[in-house]
Each structure stands twice: as structure tokens, then as C-alpha cells.
């Protein structure tokens, strides 16, 4: 797909790569080896304890910048693109249901200033439950970053657009995973937990696997976006 789409730099959210929850060093390495340039995380960033030292050492994998200051890893990195430019990648967590150590709005201006000091190309992965938080962050950053891409809710939204001052935005990029499911979990298990209120061990579903995401075209000099297109591709 990278070659087909002539993509210069590729970022994935990998917070649920480890069988539906968290990520391991081995999985992060595998994703990076397949042509991924940077991996963002989310509320499940630290679920697999072995990822801590890996995050401390990695300049390719970012966890939410507004996680606790004692958490391992970093929330901002800059990675090279194949066309000679560099992309700054920022990961932040929304507040609703996710309990970050601080509000993303407290930190985001400083992060964006640091990023734009390095490169005009800046991607923000806003990992959040509430559509309003994602829209507010995108509008706040419009004209200052290349793109604000929402993740976490697993359902691709139909609102991909370039905002008035040139920032690409989508509320949620969607889920690369099994869509014959309840947001990735075997439907029967998710339904049983909701219907009975009893603890049920979740298992990752298998059917209708799709790759979902967005492709953004931008001006490498100004860092402003020209277009954003949602992708939804069956994986077979
Ligand atoms: Fe999440």
C-alpha cells in the first residue's frame, strides 16, 4: 500500500496491536520493519509492562504526552520521510473516560512549538473518546500543524476535511482490524458482558479484517495540508 499510494511517511496507532490491548516490543519492531515510520499509542500504552524500557529507548514510538511525567517514553518525536523531509509526531489523550495526568490543552501549545522548531510537518494523533474534544483540538491547532487525526473509538468517521487555515482533520481514522465484531471484540462476548453485567474475558474477533486510515497530501515547505482522504480497504 505504501508503494501503491506513493506515501512518503507512514504513522500507525498501535496501542492495541497485542491481541487487542497494548503493544509489545516485538510487535512494535515488526510494524516498523514493514515500513511504518512511527507508532502512536493511547490509553492502553502501558498495558504490557515489557514495553516500558522499549519506550524509553525508542525514537519511533510515542505514548500520550499528557500521561504521567513518571511514565516511560516520550510524547513527541521527529522521524525522517522518504522524500527528505521530516515529520514531527505528537500523541495526546483526551479527558473523557481516559483520565490523563493533565489536560491535552495544557500541553499542546508547548509541544507544537517544539515540533515546529524542528520541521513544518506536524501530525497530532488525538486519542480521545469525545468527538467534541477532537474537533476542539483540531480547530485550536488549525493553521499551526499539518494534521490532527483522531483515534481510539475504532469507527471511521465521514468528516475528513482540510480546515480553513490548512490543517487536515478527521474525528476518527477508524480501525485496522476485524470489523465483524464489537469494535474488535468477538460480538458474543461483548454482548454477554453488557447484557449480564458479569465479567467476561474478551477475545479479539477474526472476521472482515480491514485496513482503515487516512492519506494526507501536504505542502512540505509550509506544512499545510492540501487534502485528506479516508481509506477503508478489505485485507485478504
Ligand atoms: Fe484507546
Amino acid at each position: 500500500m505504501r508503494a501503491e499510494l506513493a506515501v512518503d511517511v507512514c504513522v500507525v496507532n498501535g496501542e492495541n496491536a497485542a491481541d487487542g490491548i497494548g503493544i509489545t516490543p516485538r510487535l512494535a519492531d515488526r510494524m516498523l520493519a514493514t515500513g511504518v515510520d512511527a507508532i502512536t499509542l493511547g490509553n492502553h500504552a502501558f498495558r504490557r509492562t515489557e514495553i516500558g524500557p522499549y519506550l524509553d529507548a525508542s525514537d519511533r514510538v510515542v505514548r500520550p504526552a499528557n500521561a504521567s511525567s513518571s511514565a516511560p517514553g516520550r510524547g513527541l518525536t521527529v522521524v525522517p520521510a522518504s522524500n527528505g523531509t521530516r515529520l514531527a509526531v505528537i500523541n495526546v489523550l483526551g479527558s473523557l473516560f481516559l483520565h490523563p495526568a493533565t489536560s491535552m490543552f495544557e500541553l499542546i501549545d508547548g509541544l507544537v512549538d517544539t515540533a515546529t522548531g524542528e520541521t513544518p510537518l506536524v501530525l497530532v494523533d488525538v486519542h480521545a473518546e469525545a468527538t467534541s474534544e477532537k474537533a476542539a483540538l483540531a480547530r485550536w491547532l488549525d493553521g499551526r500543524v499539518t494534521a490532527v487525526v483522531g483515534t481510539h473509538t475504532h469507527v471511521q468517521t465521514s468528516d475528513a476535511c482540510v480546515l480553513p487555515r490548512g490543517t487536515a482533520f478527521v474525528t476518527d481514522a477508524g480501525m485496522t482490524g476485524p470489523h465483524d465484531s464489537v469494535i474488535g471484540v468477538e460480538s458474543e462476548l461483548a454482548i454477554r458482558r453488557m447484557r449480564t453485567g458479569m465479567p467476561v474475558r474478551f477475545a479479539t474477533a477474526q472476521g472482515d479484517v480491514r485496513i482503515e486510515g487516512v492519506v494526507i497530501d501536504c505542502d512540505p515547505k509550509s506544512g499545510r495540508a492540501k487534502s485528506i482522504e479516508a481509506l477503508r480497504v478489505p485485507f485478504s
Side-chain angles (χ1 to χ4, degrees):
M1 279 184 78
R2 227 194 126 121
E4 202 177 297
L5 298 166
V7 167
D8 293 310
V9 59
C10 172
V11 180
V12 303
N13 180 283
E15 75 147 354
N16 293 323
D19 201 19
I21 197 153
I23 188 167
T24 62
R26 192 175 64 87
L27 286 166
D29 283 341
R30 277 181 65 187
M31 292 166 109
L32 294 168
T34 61
V36 169
D37 295 294
I39 299 173
T40 56
L41 297 171
N43 52 307
H44 297 308
F46 312 114
R47 281 293 183 132
R48 308 285 171 142
T49 49
E50 65 268 39
I51 200 66
Y54 184 95
L55 292 178
D56 276 334
S58 177
D59 57 3
R60 296 279 177 166
V61 186
V62 289
R63 47 76 166 168
N66 53 337
S68 165
S69 59
S70 60
R74 67 197 77 189
L76 160 66
T77 194
V78 181
V79 296
S82 59
N83 62 354
T85 60
R86 297 196 311 149
L87 176 72
V89 181
I90 296 169
N91 191 197
V92 287
L93 210 56
S95 291
L96 184 73
F97 301 157
L98 301 181
H99 314 296
T102 51
S103 162
M104 61 186 177
F105 288 99
E106 294 284 324
L107 299 180
I108 196 66
D109 292 343
L111 289 165
V112 168
D113 286 348
T114 303
T116 50
E118 297 273 331
T119 172
L121 301 171
V122 181
L123 169 70
V124 178
D125 172 354
V126 55
H127 196 82
E129 186 80 35
T131 53
S132 55
E133 287 187 88
K134 300 187 206 187
L137 187 75
R139 296 273 169 175
W140 174 242
L141 296 179
D142 185 19
R144 291 195 280 155
V145 301
T146 310
V148 175
V149 174
T151 56
H152 177 69
T153 43
H154 297 211
V155 179
Q156 189 177 77
T157 53
S158 61
D159 61 337
C161 67
V162 177
L163 296 172
R165 298 189 190 93
T167 294
F169 172 56
V170 67
T171 298
D172 205 284
M175 175 181 72
T176 292
H179 284 253
D180 181 6
S181 68
V182 174
I183 64 167
V185 173
E186 276 185 22
S187 301
E188 192 270 324
L189 302 176
I191 292 165
R192 196 194 314 159
R193 185 193 280 187
M194 290 179 199
R195 290 194 71 227
T196 65
M198 292 290 115
V200 175
R201 183 183 289 271
F202 280 172
T204 305
Q206 302 297 322
D208 191 19
V209 174
R210 289 173 180 270
I211 296 171
E212 291 191 340
V214 290
V215 176
I216 296 162
D217 186 26
C218 65
D219 173 11
K221 288 212 167 58
S222 68
R224 294 299 78 85
K226 295 181 198 165
S227 67
I228 175 170
E229 186 192 344
L231 281 183
R232 194 153 193 260
V233 184
F235 183 80
S236 53

